[in-house]
Amino acid sequence: MRFAICDDEKIFIEQFESVVYSVYNRLDIDLNKYSEGPKLLEDLDNGLQVDAYFLDIEMDAMDGMTLAGNIRKKLPNVPIIFLTSHLEMAIDGYEVGAFRFLKKPIEPDKVQQTIEDLKKFSQGRKGVVLKIDGEDTVIVPDDVLFLESENNDVRIITKNKTYAIRMKIMDAVETFNEVSNTFTKVHRSTAVNMVHVTRIREKDLVLDNGFVVAISRGCFKEFKETFYAYVKSSAR
């Protein structure tokens, strides 16, 4: 696999490289090293191709969040892993679809687990097979923004398409959670995929594509606890 790491601390890049190559062969992992975001973006414009980006959040020339936003404009689905000493910044990372957070100083086992997860991601995301309009249809959970019940059907809303299937909403939640475990109810008739939640407000949630989903008063406390536990578990 091929990765790019961007950090303005040369010593940290050397430490990260040492950790990676203490576990993996140099023929298996290729690291492209950058000390500033603009140079990485220049190489990206010139054809740089990597399987994932490891970005320091706090950099002088261009911070990691800004850099990630620029990468996202060109590569909407590439995994981005943030490197940070402050995990409280993890929430902000979900606005640019963070794949993972690694806390500094990094732990070798966390780096190895992240790379193994990236391998699984690159091998293809798991999908759920549902019978829709008489045909077996594969839907990847990560593509689903939210689920919404409508009469006796459940509408499955993705960024590009909406599906309808005869099913109870809790059955749909359980079906998708068998693969992803990222779906949770925010209303008696609605469940969201926490992967896409970027902001929690008093009466609604904002998703990464700008959609706004209402959250009921009765679900608010439990959802907030579930979401923060999800964010914490993702920040390995």
Side-chain angles (χ1 to χ4, degrees), residues 55-68:
L55 309 179
D56 180 27
I57 290 182
E58 300 171 272
M59 295 187 287
D60 291 333
M62 178 185 290
D63 66 81
M65 293 295 179
T66 301
L67 176 57

Side-chain angles (χ1 to χ4, degrees), residues 3 12 16 30 40 50 68 71 75 83 92 96 100 107 123 136 159 179 185 193 219:
F3 303 138
F12 178 80
F16 184 85
D30 181 26
L40 188 157
V50 298
I71 292 172
L75 302 168
L83 309 165
D92 295 334
V96 288
R100 187 71 45 80
E107 300 174 37
Q123 290 169 355
D136 287 337
K159 290 184 177 181
V179 175
K185 289 191 71 174
N193 186 352
C219 290

Side-chain angles (χ1 to χ4, degrees), residues 141-142 144 176-177 179-184 192-195 230:
D142 278 1
V144 178
F176 280 105
N177 276 344
V179 175
S180 68
N181 201 32
T182 58
F183 288 80
T184 186
V192 298
N193 186 352
M194 293 184 288
V195 168
Y230 162 71

Side-chain angles (χ1 to χ4, degrees), residues 24-62:
Y24 298 94
N25 190 294
R26 289 178 180 268
L27 296 176
D28 297 326
I29 302 292
D30 181 26
L31 281 179
N32 292 258
K33 296 169 285 186
Y34 296 89
S35 60
E36 58 178 34
K39 175 57 178 173
L40 188 157
L41 291 176
E42 179 184 338
D43 283 2
L44 181 57
D45 287 337
N46 291 328
L48 173 68
Q49 294 185 1
V50 298
D51 296 297
Y53 291 86
F54 290 80
L55 309 179
D56 180 27
I57 290 182
E58 300 171 272
M59 295 187 287
D60 291 333
M62 178 185 290

Side-chain angles (χ1 to χ4, degrees), residues 135-181:
E135 298 181 348
D136 287 337
T137 304
V138 179
I139 300 176
V140 177
D142 278 1
D143 292 340
V144 178
L145 298 168
F146 62 96
L147 308 170
E148 186 176 57
S149 64
E150 187 176 71
N151 298 321
N152 295 318
D153 292 343
V154 168
R155 297 171 68 237
I156 302 169
I157 294 89
T158 72
K159 290 184 177 181
N160 300 314
K161 190 172 182 179
T162 296
Y163 303 89
I165 184 172
R166 184 61 57 93
M167 178 182 281
K168 294 180 179 179
I169 189 158
M170 282 313 299
D171 290 338
V173 169
E174 290 175 6
T175 297
F176 280 105
N177 276 344
E178 287 177 1
V179 175
S180 68
N181 201 32

